[in-house]
Every structure is written in C-alpha cells, then in structure tokens.
Amino acid sequence: MKLVDPGLPKDRYKAAKFIVETVNEHPGDIVLIGLGALTNIAIALKMDPNLPKLVKRFTYMGMGHRLKESQSSLYPFQSPDSTYAPGNVYVNYPNHNLSSDTMAAVRAFQSDMTTYVVNDAVTNKLWFNGPACKQLCKSRFPPENKVVGNLLGNWLYYRTSIFFKEVDGTCPHDALAVSEAIFPHRFVKYARGHLMVHEWAGFTSFVLDPKGPHRIGVSVDRDGFLDFLKEKLLLNNIADEDPKDGESKDGDVEAPSDEVKTLKEIKPETVVEVEEKDQSENVRSDD
C-alpha cells in the first residue's frame, strides 16, 4: 500500500494514517464515525484513494435544518415546503460540524462511501434531562460514567452561564450518531439520494434517489432512543421518569420546575476541555 503525501507536516498525519492503516487491516469491517470537522477523514481519503471501497459505511453527525426560503439576494438558496419527493432539490443550512472544515466535508461526501447523515432535523427532536440526567452528573461508578457525568456537568454549567438561565438537559446529538453507526435504522428513518456540500459556508443540497450513496435522517423514534440511552448510561439503575407534561410543539421535553437541580448540585469537580413521523411514502427506510 502506497500512501499519497497530502502535503502537511508529518506530525499531522497520525490520525489520518491510523484511519488508513486500520481500514486496510480490516477491509469491509470498519464503520467511520464523524462527530465534528472532517479534516482527518478527508486527509485519509487523500492518502489512500481506495479507502471508500474498504470502509463498511460512514456515519456523520452534521447538516442543519432544511432552508425553507431565500433570505436575500446574497443568500439565494431555498427549498420546497413539501415532504421529500423525486425531482425536488432540498437545500439545508450548514451547521458547526460542516462549517468547521467545509472543504474536508466536500471531499468526504464526494467519495463513494456508503454514508448515513444523522442531522439536526432528527437530533433536535431529542432532549436528555430529568432524573436520568441528574443521576449521570453525580455518577461516580463505573469509571466511564464518572467521566461522562463530569463532562455533562461541565456542559450544563457552561450553557447555563452563557444563557443566564438554568439549563437542566442537553440534546444528545453525538450519542444518536454513534448508536446509528452501530445499529443503523434502529431509531432513525432515512431518505436516500445524493447530498452535495457547497463550498460556500457548508450549505448542502439533497436530491432523492433510491440508488444514491447518501442517506439523510428524516425522523427518529425519540422515546425509544432516550430509553435506550438511559439504559446504557445508567445500567438500569433509574426508572423511566422522563416527564411528559412539558412537551413542546417541536417534540422537546422540559422537566417541571420541581425536578430541576441547581448549578451548585451539578457543578463539576474539574474543568475538562474537549475538543417526524415518516413524512412521505417516498422516504425509504433501507433494510
């Protein structure tokens, strides 16, 4: 195997080289997961152009909501208001993950990898809060729960500080993406087609095609996934007490005020720095 030099300092090859070597050692078995900028995956694709043929599939947490209308002459994108249908071009907002390295995303999505996109349209239907969230913040065993709980406590403390109000929960974007990477179609239904990343700012366009390489999320089993998440994180040590009376119109759940912990109770010990119903018959859930 000959690696192509992408023209970067050698010490920046490590992650990409690891991807290339691991995929080549286990052809057809490796699922790539992207939870942020796609820089390392793009470099790996340049180092080994044969990589897409060896990757089992690629699951990515990214892509914003559908853009419903044009906002100005300098912002000329718009999308149909209809559900996904053949012949329509659907344009989507960028999100942080795509915009962090737009050209890397262009390279990744232009490859021939079988790709699943767990996008904001599905992840924003989730809200992890209530007793399970509070218990995880205080968890000290097993060790991985302590790490995740501490990170979650940092995150809630940070979000509360920037919004100047109590934030008692979080949207588990990455958790859903990892779950779908391991168990595709278990909680998310997808539309299949072609997704193009625009070089300008990370907007995306999607066209339905039953033979396309890209699958984008269109709906999620919210309650099913949240139950699954609590079971895996807390090892069945907490009952399903997720409050239902605060449900908002877009599907998020807000805990009643008597269940909200104060910041003093969840403030982390240390600061850790870390890098719809099925809408249409045309939406496919691939078996």
Side-chain angles (χ1 to χ4, degrees), residues 116-152:
Y116 288 79
V117 179
V118 182
N119 51 342
D120 288 352
V122 293
T123 62
N124 281 348
K125 299 296 183 184
L126 307 175
W127 191 246
F128 178 62
N129 68 344
C133 182
K134 290 182 288 188
Q135 179 173 329
L136 184 58
C137 285
K138 298 185 295 183
S139 181
R140 293 295 176 265
F141 183 83
E144 52 268 30
N145 277 29
K146 181 177 180 180
V147 172
V148 173
N150 195 42
L151 289 171
L152 178 58

Side-chain angles (χ1 to χ4, degrees), residues 48-159:
D48 184 0
N50 196 47
L51 205 65
K53 298 178 182 179
L54 304 176
V55 171
K56 185 173 184 178
R57 61 180 173 272
F58 168 48
T59 300
Y60 184 57
M61 195 280 115
M63 195 181 89
H65 288 275
R66 189 193 308 176
L67 182 61
K68 294 296 181 64
E69 60 184 14
S70 177
Q71 296 186 357
S72 74
S73 59
L74 298 177
Y75 204 58
F77 305 124
Q78 60 182 14
S79 283
D81 288 330
S82 64
T83 54
Y84 290 103
N88 288 338
V89 178
Y90 299 92
V91 182
N92 309 283
Y93 282 105
N95 75 347
H96 175 77
N97 290 355
L98 282 175
S99 300
S100 294
D101 192 340
T102 303
M103 296 310 299
V106 170
R107 178 179 290 276
F109 284 95
Q110 284 180 347
S111 73
D112 295 327
M113 292 188 292
T114 297
T115 301
Y116 288 79
V117 179
V118 182
N119 51 342
D120 288 352
V122 293
T123 62
N124 281 348
K125 299 296 183 184
L126 307 175
W127 191 246
F128 178 62
N129 68 344
C133 182
K134 290 182 288 188
Q135 179 173 329
L136 184 58
C137 285
K138 298 185 295 183
S139 181
R140 293 295 176 265
F141 183 83
E144 52 268 30
N145 277 29
K146 181 177 180 180
V147 172
V148 173
N150 195 42
L151 289 171
L152 178 58
N154 272 282
W155 177 244
L156 298 182
Y157 185 72
Y158 166 73
R159 298 286 281 182

Side-chain angles (χ1 to χ4, degrees), residues 20 23 83 85 97 181 232 246:
V20 171
V23 171
T83 54
N97 290 355
K232 296 303 179 184

Side-chain angles (χ1 to χ4, degrees), residues 12 15 31 38 81 101-102 104 117 140 185 216 237 248 252 281 285:
R12 296 183 64 181
V31 177
L38 290 172
D81 288 330
D101 192 340
T102 303
V117 179
R140 293 295 176 265
H185 306 285
I216 66 170
N237 288 330
S248 65
D252 289 344
E281 294 180 356
S285 178

